[in-house]
Every structure is written in C-alpha cells, then in structure tokens.
Amino acid sequence: MRARLVASLRLAAAVTAAVLLHATAARAQSRPTPGALPEHPSFTRAVQAGTRTVDGRPGPRAWTQYARYHIDARIDPSTHVLTGSSRVTYINNSPDTLPGIRVHLRQNAFAPGSARREAIVPTDGVVMQSVAVNGATPVRAAVNGTVMNIIMAQPLLPRDSVTLAFAWKHEVPVTPSDGRQGRDEHLYLMGYWYPQVAVYDDVSGWVADQYLLGAEFYMDHADYDVRITAPAGWVVGATGVLQNAAAILPAAMRDSLAMARSSGRVVNIHRPAGNNTFSAASVSTPSAMTTWHFKAANVRDFAWGTSDRYVWDATRALVASDTVDIHSFYRIHPPAAAWAIGGARYTKDAIEQLSRYLWPYPWPTMTSMEGVLTSGGMEYPMLTTMQPWVDTLSLAGDLMHETGHMWFPMQVGSNETRYPWMDEGFTQFNTAQAMRVLYGEPRTGGRPNDSEPGQRRQYIARALAGDDQALMQHGDLFPLEQYNVMYYNKTSQVLVALRSILGDSVFRHAFRMYGERWNGRHPYPQDFFNTVETVAGRDLDWFWVSWFQEPWSLDHAIGSARMNGSNLDVKIEDRGRAFMPVRLTITRAGGAVEMREIPVDVWLRGSRSSVVSIANGAQVVRVEIDAAAAFPDYDRTNQVWVRN
C-alpha cells in the first residue's frame, strides 16, 4: 500500500543542530559489534525437515497449502449490505494432520469492541449465517475478533482435502473509516470481504494474526470462481477474467474491448449517461440486477469494485509474448482529473516496465480503480484501487507502486503482517527503478515516494530526529508515524546500498533469483538473506544485522586532512552505529580522479577511525566520501574535504 504519511516530515533549520546532537550521542555510546544474524528455532527446524535450505532455496520437501473458492455475492446499495455464500475446497499439502482450520473474518475489525489501530465508523462486522464442514455442522466454530477457529469432527489428513461452506453478510464500511476498501458515494470497493482460510506454513504452523486495520496480510494462493450480483447499469471490475461478457455486455462494448486489445490504444468501453449515472439500458439485461462472473487462477486474494458512475477505459500491455488486458475505472469529477488522462496508460506502463525489470507479469488482466480511498492506494491481485488524483505524475507514481505489488507479495507470498519490509520496501525500490526509466531522474525536490533521492530524504529526516527503527519488527508493533518511512523508504535505501556493495549485475541476479525461487511460496526473511549470500558468495551478516535487525544509522565523516611529508593523511571517522565500507573519491589538480576504499572489516574489528595516506598529497584538491550517494548516511555535510 502506498505510504500514508501519518506525521509530516519537516526538515527545518534545526537539522544542523540535530546532526551535531546525533553524532555526539553516537560517539558517546559504546558500539556493539554485529554478530551472526539470529535464526529463529522454527526456521532451523524447517531446514532440518527439508522444507527450506541454508542457501535460500525451497527444500526438497517444500510444500504450500492451496484452496479453490466458489463465491456468490450480492451488493444492495439501498442498505449497503453485502450478502455472500461460498464453498471452499481446502487442500492439505503438508505432512501434518490438522484437527482444525483457522479462517479470517477481517470485516470484524469494524465490529464494536474489536481491537484496532485506527479510528473507524463501526459496523456490526461479519454476521455468519452458517458454517459447514463436508456438509455437516463442525464440532465448534468459535470466533475471536477477526479469526474463526473451526474444529472438525474428523481431522484433515496429509494430502487430503476438506470442503468448507459459509454464508454471511456484512455492511460495507463507509469511507474514510478504512484506508483499503469500503464505500463511497455510488461506489463500493470490496477488499477482504469473504471468509478466507488462513495460512498454514512449514515454519509457524497456523498464522492467523488478528487484523487491526494496521499491518496488511498473509495469504495462500488459490483459484477463484466468483459471481457478483449488482444493480443493472452498474459496471464491475475485479480480480480475474470476465466469463460472461457475451451475456451481460452489449455488442458495442465487446467490440470496444476487442479494439483495445488489438490496437493498444486507450479505448473508452463505457461512460455514464447524463448526470454521471448509468442507464439500466446500457447493460444488456432486462432485470433489475446483473450477475458478473469472474475467474482467477493461482492468486492469493480476490477483490472487486462497482459503481453506476464509473467510466471504463481499456488498453493492453505487451509482456514477453503475451498480451495483458488493462482496465481502468474512474469517475468524472475534478479531484480525479488525472485518471481520464492516464489511468489506463499508466497502468499499462507499470506492467510493461516492471515486467522488464523483474520478470514477466503472469496474469491475463490488470485493473486500476479510482475511489473510496482518501489517500494513497491499495493492492489486490490483478487489481489496485487508489485515491482520486489531479496531478498526473502523482497518479503515475501511485499506479507504479501499487502495480508493483503484483510481484511482491502477490507472487512472492511473504508475510506482510510480520515483515512489511518484504513487500512494501521491495516495491518502493522497484517503483523508483521503473519511474527513473520512464520519467528520468527527478529535479531538486523530486517525487518524495517515487525516486531514490526522495526516498532517501524521507528516511534520513527520521534518522536525524533519532527515530530510526529496526525493520525486523511485527507490523502491528511498529510506531504508526514511522511505519511508512521505515518499512517503505528505509528498506528501499538499504537495497540501494546493497546494490552498490554487490554491484548491479550481482544484485539484480540475486533479487530476481529470490523472486523466482519463492514465486507462489512463502519466504521468510532468512530465505532472502540466504539467497543473496549464495549468489554473492560472501557472508553479509554484518549488513543484515546493521540494517534489518538493529535500529542503527550511518555517519561516516572526514575528521581531518593533513600533509605528512609528501603524503596527505585523511582521517576517516565512523561516527554512527551501522557498519558499512567507506568509499573515497580523490580528485587531483588537473581533474584526475582515483578511488580508495576502507573495508567494513576495519570497523568490525572495533576501530572508530582510520587514516588513508594519499601519495603526492599536494596535488589533491578534493576528497569525498560516497560521492555516488549510494549509502544512506544521515549527515553529508561532513563528507567532503576541499583544499583551501
């Protein structure tokens, strides 16, 4: 999800004073040295069981659970109530016998008395009308907050399956009670709207953390067959591919969809009739309600939206040898002016550019939808929704970020709740790479979320304020005012630094290998760390501990520069707590440039300073630390020496 900056980042005149205070405090503290990266015993047991490996690959006995959902849903705009029924075939690919099954009822986050991290307009939550296991009443179906624990009469054996059936209803929350889904005027965006089986994995067993409207989700991949009944004249966009277009769309709309797919132009598929409303006759059905049928294979969730005020545009993206259908839905109103210009085009650009940088987008469609959200955006498989935008570049950046989530975590299914950096930080980094190719490097000021310099400024502002945080924290235990800057922008900057240490080709090879290895699976942080070390052929525990395990910041400085005979002795001080090598750019009179490096081992041995002796020092006119700005040092005012 695009960062919603809870607290504004004010870089005022006090920054200089903050630098001095921070540096003084860092020098005064004893400095811990990073040891081996700690590994949780449950991960070690998974390696011993053969489901994971020490080199970052899934093990020879790796498994993931799978499910098949058949869902029927109906939205009633007169009451704002969604009514649904579902049949779920849950397949136990694990070697374990399961006496019960955990199921998420995330709409209960809006029920009175539920624990949550945000203020909301309450609803009654999920009203469960029936629960069945293989056609019979379960021994127990106890609901605790947003999680239901089903105890079955017969345990689910390894390599066997069980059929669950649910009937439920809930009121759709009103905006702005939630930052990820809900209802707006004449518009419904349905996220986490159905009972969903929780993840059971090889490291943690059942992972069914309460949903607190804070940290996001952990989900298994599944197949979805969904029928959505909405008022006639309302259009529906959803995860998946529309199955019954011939039955519900007039020939003119189908022809326009075919033109968008064949031509690559942005084609208008439908537009509201007078007064921003659709006429019932615009969709070919004589009844008061219309059922839209969608299917999606191998996705970890299903979301959809509907409105009688949506404009529907379409185009295509070309990915390797495949064609991806692009759909964009938006309302015609001044706050959403950018959508009419770029909603479909920017979605297409994101799919094509990220497919080139990472690996090809695997699904047949991608949909972007305006509305419901009051800031930022929210990702679902093959679909994203986000706020109205007037500014086109902001819309392009938001669509790049949210579409970027189609790789992390929609394919690489990490646990967003416990490790948000594994999807938000990776996606923030990927957004900057793609935006730079399409729009170039930003000028001074730049786009704060969509470029490496902008992301660095936001992270460093927090580090200067003494608010640096360790990334290896549960998302719901993280300070809200720092959630976005740290998980998003700090992680992105850490990846920039890692790229510089490894070199671009090694970094990209490791990054892609991690994604391809864990596509459709559930990686833990150690799997990422192990993959990178395997590709790089080196131990990077000092890096992982410095930047993920600890809340350490970086401050390398030039302490002094003095002639020593014919040499120039430059004293480099390590004033921060994070461990990194030091790269020096040395410029001589006449413009000749040479590079020197202080390896990280110098600091790991306990030193706080190191002297670099430069021959023919009288010719040196400038010495600079990290001239490429590859490392997130929080004080660059102390990194340059210039001969007077």
PDB file of all heavy atoms in Angstrom, residues 360-377:
ATOM      1  N   PRO A 360       8.311 -11.455 -16.199  1.00  0.00           N
ATOM      2  CA  PRO A 360       7.032 -11.140 -16.849  1.00  0.00           C
ATOM      3  C   PRO A 360       5.822 -11.289 -15.923  1.00  0.00           C
ATOM      4  O   PRO A 360       5.720 -12.249 -15.149  1.00  0.00           O
ATOM      5  CB  PRO A 360       6.971 -12.151 -18.004  1.00  0.00           C
ATOM      6  CG  PRO A 360       8.409 -12.436 -18.306  1.00  0.00           C
ATOM      7  CD  PRO A 360       9.109 -12.418 -16.980  1.00  0.00           C
ATOM      8  N   TYR A 361       4.931 -10.323 -16.007  1.00  0.00           N
ATOM      9  CA  TYR A 361       3.647 -10.372 -15.315  1.00  0.00           C
ATOM     10  C   TYR A 361       2.906 -11.631 -15.764  1.00  0.00           C
ATOM     11  O   TYR A 361       2.788 -11.884 -16.970  1.00  0.00           O
ATOM     12  CB  TYR A 361       2.859  -9.116 -15.667  1.00  0.00           C
ATOM     13  CG  TYR A 361       1.492  -8.995 -15.046  1.00  0.00           C
ATOM     14  CD1 TYR A 361       1.338  -8.536 -13.747  1.00  0.00           C
ATOM     15  CD2 TYR A 361       0.341  -9.292 -15.774  1.00  0.00           C
ATOM     16  CE1 TYR A 361       0.077  -8.392 -13.179  1.00  0.00           C
ATOM     17  CE2 TYR A 361      -0.922  -9.154 -15.222  1.00  0.00           C
ATOM     18  CZ  TYR A 361      -1.047  -8.703 -13.921  1.00  0.00           C
ATOM     19  OH  TYR A 361      -2.301  -8.559 -13.365  1.00  0.00           O
ATOM     20  N   PRO A 362       2.364 -12.441 -14.847  1.00  0.00           N
ATOM     21  CA  PRO A 362       1.879 -13.769 -15.231  1.00  0.00           C
ATOM     22  C   PRO A 362       0.392 -13.881 -15.544  1.00  0.00           C
ATOM     23  O   PRO A 362      -0.035 -14.936 -16.019  1.00  0.00           O
ATOM     24  CB  PRO A 362       2.210 -14.598 -13.990  1.00  0.00           C
ATOM     25  CG  PRO A 362       2.015 -13.636 -12.855  1.00  0.00           C
ATOM     26  CD  PRO A 362       2.459 -12.296 -13.380  1.00  0.00           C
ATOM     27  N   TRP A 363      -0.408 -12.846 -15.240  1.00  0.00           N
ATOM     28  CA  TRP A 363      -1.851 -12.995 -15.348  1.00  0.00           C
ATOM     29  C   TRP A 363      -2.408 -12.295 -16.590  1.00  0.00           C
ATOM     30  O   TRP A 363      -1.750 -11.438 -17.171  1.00  0.00           O
ATOM     31  CB  TRP A 363      -2.522 -12.459 -14.081  1.00  0.00           C
ATOM     32  CG  TRP A 363      -2.170 -13.250 -12.860  1.00  0.00           C
ATOM     33  CD1 TRP A 363      -2.429 -14.567 -12.627  1.00  0.00           C
ATOM     34  CD2 TRP A 363      -1.459 -12.776 -11.705  1.00  0.00           C
ATOM     35  NE1 TRP A 363      -1.933 -14.952 -11.401  1.00  0.00           N
ATOM     36  CE2 TRP A 363      -1.338 -13.872 -10.803  1.00  0.00           C
ATOM     37  CE3 TRP A 363      -0.925 -11.548 -11.325  1.00  0.00           C
ATOM     38  CZ2 TRP A 363      -0.700 -13.762  -9.571  1.00  0.00           C
ATOM     39  CZ3 TRP A 363      -0.281 -11.434 -10.090  1.00  0.00           C
ATOM     40  CH2 TRP A 363      -0.182 -12.525  -9.233  1.00  0.00           C
ATOM     41  N   PRO A 364      -3.625 -12.641 -17.004  1.00  0.00           N
ATOM     42  CA  PRO A 364      -4.138 -12.106 -18.273  1.00  0.00           C
ATOM     43  C   PRO A 364      -4.705 -10.698 -18.196  1.00  0.00           C
ATOM     44  O   PRO A 364      -4.937 -10.083 -19.236  1.00  0.00           O
ATOM     45  CB  PRO A 364      -5.237 -13.113 -18.659  1.00  0.00           C
ATOM     46  CG  PRO A 364      -5.681 -13.706 -17.360  1.00  0.00           C
ATOM     47  CD  PRO A 364      -4.468 -13.745 -16.485  1.00  0.00           C
ATOM     48  N   THR A 365      -4.977 -10.167 -16.994  1.00  0.00           N
ATOM     49  CA  THR A 365      -5.559  -8.837 -16.888  1.00  0.00           C
ATOM     50  C   THR A 365      -4.907  -8.062 -15.745  1.00  0.00           C
ATOM     51  O   THR A 365      -4.307  -8.640 -14.843  1.00  0.00           O
ATOM     52  CB  THR A 365      -7.081  -8.880 -16.627  1.00  0.00           C
ATOM     53  OG1 THR A 365      -7.317  -9.392 -15.309  1.00  0.00           O
ATOM     54  CG2 THR A 365      -7.804  -9.740 -17.643  1.00  0.00           C
ATOM     55  N   MET A 366      -5.063  -6.746 -15.797  1.00  0.00           N
ATOM     56  CA  MET A 366      -4.716  -5.862 -14.685  1.00  0.00           C
ATOM     57  C   MET A 366      -5.703  -4.702 -14.694  1.00  0.00           C
ATOM     58  O   MET A 366      -5.964  -4.107 -15.744  1.00  0.00           O
ATOM     59  CB  MET A 366      -3.283  -5.347 -14.807  1.00  0.00           C
ATOM     60  CG  MET A 366      -2.877  -4.408 -13.681  1.00  0.00           C
ATOM     61  SD  MET A 366      -2.857  -5.214 -12.061  1.00  0.00           S
ATOM     62  CE  MET A 366      -2.977  -3.795 -10.965  1.00  0.00           C
ATOM     63  N   THR A 367      -6.253  -4.391 -13.519  1.00  0.00           N
ATOM     64  CA  THR A 367      -7.296  -3.375 -13.402  1.00  0.00           C
ATOM     65  C   THR A 367      -6.903  -2.345 -12.362  1.00  0.00           C
ATOM     66  O   THR A 367      -6.418  -2.694 -11.281  1.00  0.00           O
ATOM     67  CB  THR A 367      -8.634  -4.033 -12.995  1.00  0.00           C
ATOM     68  OG1 THR A 367      -9.045  -4.919 -14.038  1.00  0.00           O
ATOM     69  CG2 THR A 367      -9.713  -2.992 -12.758  1.00  0.00           C
ATOM     70  N   SER A 368      -7.122  -1.064 -12.682  1.00  0.00           N
ATOM     71  CA  SER A 368      -6.949   0.015 -11.712  1.00  0.00           C
ATOM     72  C   SER A 368      -8.287   0.717 -11.527  1.00  0.00           C
ATOM     73  O   SER A 368      -9.015   0.932 -12.496  1.00  0.00           O
ATOM     74  CB  SER A 368      -5.877   1.005 -12.165  1.00  0.00           C
ATOM     75  OG  SER A 368      -6.174   1.549 -13.435  1.00  0.00           O
ATOM     76  N   MET A 369      -8.593   1.074 -10.271  1.00  0.00           N
ATOM     77  CA  MET A 369      -9.901   1.650  -9.945  1.00  0.00           C
ATOM     78  C   MET A 369      -9.713   2.871  -9.047  1.00  0.00           C
ATOM     79  O   MET A 369      -9.003   2.814  -8.043  1.00  0.00           O
ATOM     80  CB  MET A 369     -10.794   0.624  -9.245  1.00  0.00           C
ATOM     81  CG  MET A 369     -10.909  -0.693  -9.983  1.00  0.00           C
ATOM     82  SD  MET A 369     -12.132  -1.848  -9.286  1.00  0.00           S
ATOM     83  CE  MET A 369     -13.616  -1.226 -10.081  1.00  0.00           C
ATOM     84  N   GLU A 370     -10.357   3.957  -9.404  1.00  0.00           N
ATOM     85  CA  GLU A 370     -10.335   5.179  -8.604  1.00  0.00           C
ATOM     86  C   GLU A 370     -11.472   5.163  -7.604  1.00  0.00           C
ATOM     87  O   GLU A 370     -12.556   4.669  -7.882  1.00  0.00           O
ATOM     88  CB  GLU A 370     -10.462   6.399  -9.528  1.00  0.00           C
ATOM     89  CG  GLU A 370     -10.628   7.729  -8.828  1.00  0.00           C
ATOM     90  CD  GLU A 370     -12.077   8.148  -8.615  1.00  0.00           C
ATOM     91  OE1 GLU A 370     -12.941   7.760  -9.432  1.00  0.00           O
ATOM     92  OE2 GLU A 370     -12.355   8.865  -7.629  1.00  0.00           O
ATOM     93  N   GLY A 371     -11.195   5.729  -6.414  1.00  0.00           N
ATOM     94  CA  GLY A 371     -12.283   5.937  -5.465  1.00  0.00           C
ATOM     95  C   GLY A 371     -12.100   5.215  -4.153  1.00  0.00           C
ATOM     96  O   GLY A 371     -11.228   4.365  -3.982  1.00  0.00           O
ATOM     97  N   VAL A 372     -12.928   5.573  -3.191  1.00  0.00           N
ATOM     98  CA  VAL A 372     -13.008   5.013  -1.845  1.00  0.00           C
ATOM     99  C   VAL A 372     -11.871   5.514  -0.962  1.00  0.00           C
ATOM    100  O   VAL A 372     -12.098   6.034   0.120  1.00  0.00           O
ATOM    101  CB  VAL A 372     -13.047   3.464  -1.837  1.00  0.00           C
ATOM    102  CG1 VAL A 372     -13.009   2.923  -0.430  1.00  0.00           C
ATOM    103  CG2 VAL A 372     -14.303   2.975  -2.532  1.00  0.00           C
ATOM    104  N   LEU A 373     -10.629   5.381  -1.419  1.00  0.00           N
ATOM    105  CA  LEU A 373      -9.509   5.794  -0.589  1.00  0.00           C
ATOM    106  C   LEU A 373      -9.376   7.312  -0.579  1.00  0.00           C
ATOM    107  O   LEU A 373      -9.609   7.974  -1.595  1.00  0.00           O
ATOM    108  CB  LEU A 373      -8.210   5.167  -1.083  1.00  0.00           C
ATOM    109  CG  LEU A 373      -7.918   3.751  -0.574  1.00  0.00           C
ATOM    110  CD1 LEU A 373      -8.961   2.758  -1.017  1.00  0.00           C
ATOM    111  CD2 LEU A 373      -6.542   3.306  -1.024  1.00  0.00           C
ATOM    112  N   THR A 374      -8.995   7.840   0.573  1.00  0.00           N
ATOM    113  CA  THR A 374      -8.768   9.275   0.707  1.00  0.00           C
ATOM    114  C   THR A 374      -7.301   9.635   0.587  1.00  0.00           C
ATOM    115  O   THR A 374      -6.954  10.815   0.526  1.00  0.00           O
ATOM    116  CB  THR A 374      -9.305   9.781   2.061  1.00  0.00           C
ATOM    117  OG1 THR A 374      -8.713   9.022   3.117  1.00  0.00           O
ATOM    118  CG2 THR A 374     -10.819   9.622   2.117  1.00  0.00           C
ATOM    119  N   SER A 375      -6.423   8.656   0.575  1.00  0.00           N
ATOM    120  CA  SER A 375      -5.001   8.891   0.333  1.00  0.00           C
ATOM    121  C   SER A 375      -4.383   7.585  -0.123  1.00  0.00           C
ATOM    122  O   SER A 375      -4.827   6.504   0.242  1.00  0.00           O
ATOM    123  CB  SER A 375      -4.287   9.401   1.584  1.00  0.00           C
ATOM    124  OG  SER A 375      -4.277   8.414   2.595  1.00  0.00           O
ATOM    125  N   GLY A 376      -3.344   7.701  -0.952  1.00  0.00           N
ATOM    126  CA  GLY A 376      -2.586   6.533  -1.360  1.00  0.00           C
ATOM    127  C   GLY A 376      -3.392   5.547  -2.182  1.00  0.00           C
ATOM    128  O   GLY A 376      -4.344   5.887  -2.880  1.00  0.00           O
ATOM    129  N   GLY A 377      -2.987   4.285  -2.087  1.00  0.00           N
ATOM    130  CA  GLY A 377      -3.628   3.233  -2.859  1.00  0.00           C
ATOM    131  C   GLY A 377      -3.519   1.909  -2.140  1.00  0.00           C
ATOM    132  O   GLY A 377      -2.842   1.780  -1.122  1.00  0.00           O
TER     133      GLY A 377
END
